[in-house]
Amino acid sequence: MAPIPGSGLAKGLAVTLRTMTKKSVTAQYPDVQPELPPRSRGVIGLFEENCTVCMLCARECPDWCIYIDSHKETVPPAAPGGRERSRNVLDRFAIDFSLCMYCGICIEVCPFDALFWSPEFEYAETDIRDLTHERDKLREWMWTVPAPPALDPGAEEPKELAAARKAAEKLAAQQPPPATEPHADEQARAAEQPTRPQGDSKQQIDQPQPDGPQPGGPQPGGPKPGGPQPGQEGQE
């Protein structure tokens, strides 16, 4: 079936009319910050403590925009009779973001998790030479890196957490049980006993009532009600 002449123009005008009726949305940047995805690729943050100067990131970078300088230091033996060892100390770690194409290869190949993606994107400069950021700036961006996503509930527990949990359980099993307090049983028995009224004590309840005169009753030594009065026994 041949298309109706002018059907394409009608469809285009329909899209235009439908778009014209919608309210336009304007991003009020920089007054209002955009809501970026949590794992967006902004800049690269450096965690110096994990860097071992293995140079893998610099060698694998396709743009050669990573510059690393280091020197070797001799570490004394940890125990008597051991031998000295040498380790690399990081002197400079810089990334030229005017050359970086944000491929993320350096982050992927880092074996010690020293490089991370940060969602920070406001790092424009008026001079292109200022886009080479040293390790101090990269360290500041490290604190803007979001936390890693949560693991799948059905996923296997990480080996590090499993080993730490087993070690803690083994240490807890080796420790003797805590000694019970001597007054714990007495306190439990006291709590089970019924409580007495506040105005009555045990001494008041257990003591017998006194034999003294009661208000409104016969006085001691007086005549008993219904008995002979004094002086009437001899007359009878």
Side-chain angles (χ1 to χ4, degrees):
M1 180 178 179
I4 301 176
S7 60
L9 178 61
K11 291 181 180 180
L13 292 176
V15 174
T16 303
L17 293 175
R18 187 166 58 249
T19 306
M20 290 176 59
T21 57
K22 294 182 180 180
K23 183 180 178 180
S24 60
V25 178
T26 303
Q28 302 296 334
Y29 179 83
D31 297 332
V32 179
Q33 294 292 328
E35 296 182 1
L36 300 176
R39 310 303 299 179
S40 59
R41 296 187 176 187
V43 291
I44 299 173
L46 171 66
F47 193 59
E48 296 182 29
E49 286 76 2
N50 289 355
C51 182
T52 61
V53 200
C54 63
M55 305 296 291
L56 278 178
C57 56
R59 288 198 297 264
E60 297 296 333
C61 178
D63 293 333
W64 293 87
C65 63
I66 300 178
Y67 312 110
I68 300 176
D69 292 333
S70 64
H71 69 278
K72 289 185 178 293
E73 286 185 357
T74 302
V75 181
R83 65 173 182 173
E84 296 181 349
R85 298 180 180 274
S86 62
R87 66 183 183 92
N88 293 325
V89 179
L90 182 66
D91 292 332
R92 184 194 182 200
F93 194 107
I95 299 178
D96 188 356
F97 284 97
S98 64
L99 298 176
C100 179
M101 63 180 184
Y102 305 94
C103 62
I105 293 179
C106 57
I107 299 176
E108 296 293 336
V109 301
C110 181
F112 300 103
D113 292 336
L115 298 175
F116 297 88
W117 278 117
S118 167
E120 185 68 28
F121 65 94
E122 296 178 325
Y123 57 96
E125 301 290 345
T126 56
D127 192 347
I128 192 174
R129 291 172 294 183
D130 296 334
L131 286 175
T132 302
H133 295 290
E134 300 293 334
R135 63 176 183 175
D136 296 336
K137 188 64 176 180
L138 301 179
R139 179 59 179 255
E140 294 179 6
W141 284 333
M142 182 62 204
W143 309 123
T144 62
V145 175
L151 297 177
D152 187 359
E156 183 181 356
E157 186 180 16
K159 296 181 179 179
E160 296 82 3
L161 296 180
R165 180 175 51 80
K166 291 181 179 178
E169 293 176 355
K170 183 177 180 181
L171 182 61
Q174 293 177 355
Q175 294 180 353
T180 58
E181 298 182 358
H183 302 290
D185 298 338
E186 299 180 3
Q187 295 177 359
R189 288 195 298 269
E192 295 177 357
Q193 294 180 357
T195 57
R196 300 185 180 89
Q198 296 180 359
D200 299 337
S201 63
K202 183 178 180 181
Q203 183 178 2
Q204 295 176 350
I205 296 175
D206 296 338
Q207 288 180 355
Q209 298 294 334
D211 297 335
Q214 301 295 330
Q219 300 297 328
K224 297 180 181 180
Q229 299 298 328
Q232 296 180 357
E233 296 179 359
Q235 296 177 1
E236 294 178 358

